[in-house]
């Protein structure tokens, strides 16, 4: 026998001892991170040119010990992170994951679960079905509904609109029109393009003063398009916009879409997780009437990236849209009761994403999740209250589903552009300082600051310290701008 083949058993293997050493070392690093993240700077970003000098190298022909690789990761990779899980990370959409979720990912990866076919992982398929059904019940969808786990909100939106296109248009996109508000997440525009619609086929309606879709505008736009011989086919409603947490009038939109025979997709990637608590449930009234929902457990349900989810009113629609029967997969065809998730979405090879949410819910229980979600909503309300007491900070939109927006407004006469500059500079200062991090956005052409407070380990002190720091940086920036103006 060829001697190279005889020894192939040794390729890509570690001994039990080596696996233990590496495994325990990795565990220790993760546990240390969980215990110390709150003490780390929220943002740490290396200069690209410096970092490249340190880590770019040609492909290693000979290997090194795992410890050397870990050391390099510790020094240059994990030390240069923006910690989305930090209690004072209030920018964009935080991702306050939990340790059980991390361990579930390790298990899913350790067993290298192929969650595409029932034959590949029947237990995993059942866990995914159960977890999807829990989410279905929470969202109030009928028993005909189903869904699947995907990488995140973008993929959930893509999958939903691919189904809508198939069911409503038989995949013929010509002349079809999609309606949404100007607050809809950019992933929708990307998805619409991927699905073959051009930019004239998405009608982004201006939102009202509360950043919600106006029903009267929507009705008008649909009627106008019909008169012009176009084919209205889908409404995309927001359940928690990224900018302000605004929720479109779901109940009324659901009524309209049913009257008009349109598909109603709700992008709830950010907001739908709020349905776990009483407040969120009452704000999301009407969600139960939509055709599809995107929701992201890696945002509101405390899961590690990547965990997105799509729910669809009739799970058969998924199969009708995605099912293919290539000859090389004929051995995996499911029996009557079985499900091949590869028939229900875009991916064939797919990881066991459902496990992390299932395991977290099993270990902590729904009650703990409910409290954690509620706390995120309450923290934004607390931030709003503190902001309203400030002489320099002005609330722009009130706390909604865990998001509050505001801006620094100096007492002196500064132009709109100068006020925008001060607010941008506050973000820069906070990035450099590392105590806390908020992001900016534009609302009605004004730069505003935005705090998203969904991390349940955030405390009142964290919120107060952050707002104090924003005020402090705002004052300093304003003073230096005044001094500069005087010198000129
Ligand atoms: C409302 C909304 N939809 C979609 C997305 C996209 O989600 P993902 O980044 O998981 O693809 C986001 C991300 O923040 C979002 O807030």
């Amino acid at each position: 026998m060829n001697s190279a083949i005889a020894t192939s058993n040794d390729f890509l293997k570690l001994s039990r001892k080596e696996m233990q050493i590496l495994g325990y070392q990795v565990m220790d690093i993760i546990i240390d991170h969980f215990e110390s993240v709150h003490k780390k700077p929220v943002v740490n970003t290396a200069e690209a040119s410096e970092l490249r000098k340190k880590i770019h190298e040609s492909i290693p022909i000979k290997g090194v010990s795992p410890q050397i690789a870990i050391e390099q990761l510790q020094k240059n990779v994990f030390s240069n992170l923006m910690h989305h899980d930090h209690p004072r990370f209030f920018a964009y959409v935080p991702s306050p994951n939990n340790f059980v979720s991390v361990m579930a990912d390790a298990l899913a990866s350790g067993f290298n679960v192929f969650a595409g076919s029932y034959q590949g992982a029947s237990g995993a398929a059942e866990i995914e079905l159960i977890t999807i059904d829990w989410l279905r019940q929470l969202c109030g969808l009928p028993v005909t509904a189903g869904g699947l786990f995907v990488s995140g909100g973008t993929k959930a939106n893509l999958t939903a609109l691919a189904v809508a296109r198939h069911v409503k248009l038989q995949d013929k996109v010509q002349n079809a029109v999609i309606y949404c508000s100007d607050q809809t997440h950019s992933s929708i525009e990307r998805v619409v393009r991927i699905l073959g619609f051009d930019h004239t086929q998405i009608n982004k309606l201006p939102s009202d003063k509360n950043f919600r879709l106006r029903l009267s505008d929507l009705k008008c736009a649909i009627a106008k398009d019909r008169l012009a011989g176009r084919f209205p086919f889908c409404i995309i409603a927001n359940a928690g916009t990224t900018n302000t947490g605004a929720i479109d009038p779901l109940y009324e939109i659901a009524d309209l879409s049913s009257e008009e025979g349109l598909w109603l997709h709700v992008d709830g990637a950010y907001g739908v997780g709020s349905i776990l608590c009483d407040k969120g449930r009452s704000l999301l009234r009407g969600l139960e009437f939509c055709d599809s929902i995107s929701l992201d457990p890696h945002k509101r349900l405390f899961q590690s990236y990547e965990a997105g989810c799509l729910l669809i009113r009739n799970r058969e629609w998924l199969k009708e849209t995605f099912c293919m029967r290539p000859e090389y997969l004929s051995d995996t065809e499911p029996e009557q009761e079985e499900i091949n998730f590869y028939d229900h979405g875009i991916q064939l090879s797919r990881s066991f994403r459902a496990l992390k949410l299932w395991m977290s819910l099993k270990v902590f229980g729904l009650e703990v999740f409910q409290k954690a979600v509620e706390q995120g909503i309450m923290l934004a309300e607390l931030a709003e209250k503190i902001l309203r007491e400030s002489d320099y900070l002005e609330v722009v939109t009130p706390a909604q589903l865990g998001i509050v927006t505001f801006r620094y407004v100096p007492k002196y006469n500064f132009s709109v552009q100068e006020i925008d500059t001060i607010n941008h500079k506050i973000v820069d200062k906070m990035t450099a300082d590392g105590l806390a991090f908020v992001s900016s956005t534009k609302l009605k052409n004004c730069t505003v600051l935005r705090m998203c407070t969904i991390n349940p380990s955030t405390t009142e002190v964290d919120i107060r310290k952050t707002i104090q720091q924003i005020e402090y940086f705002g004052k300093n920036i304003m003073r230096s701008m005044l001094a500069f103006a005087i010198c000129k």
Side-chain angles (χ1 to χ4, degrees), residues 284-347:
L284 293 166
R285 198 177 68 98
L287 184 69
E288 64 276 23
F289 299 117
C290 69
D291 294 300
S292 51
I293 306 172
S294 300
L295 70 126
D296 269 358
H298 67 204
K299 294 185 173 70
R300 284 313 279 265
L301 298 180
F302 317 110
Q303 302 305 305
S304 307
Y305 296 119
E306 299 174 351
C309 177
L310 168 68
L311 296 177
I312 216 123
R313 187 160 207 87
N314 180 347
R315 58 181 167 272
E316 290 305 313
W317 292 335
L318 287 170
K319 210 157 153 194
E320 283 168 26
T321 308
F322 295 109
C323 186
M324 306 274 158
R325 289 273 176 258
E327 66 285 3
Y328 41 80
L329 290 179
S330 59
D331 301 334
T332 69
E333 270 183 33
E335 300 292 327
Q336 179 110 57
E337 296 264 293
E338 299 173 355
I339 178 168
N340 281 351
F341 274 100
Y342 70 57
D343 283 339
H344 288 231
I346 295 166
Q347 282 180 270

Side-chain angles (χ1 to χ4, degrees), residues 93 152-154 157 185 187 240 242 267 269-270 296 298-299:
V93 178
T154 305
N157 286 336
H185 190 266
S187 61
T242 320
D267 182 357
Y270 172 70
D296 269 358
H298 67 204
K299 294 185 173 70

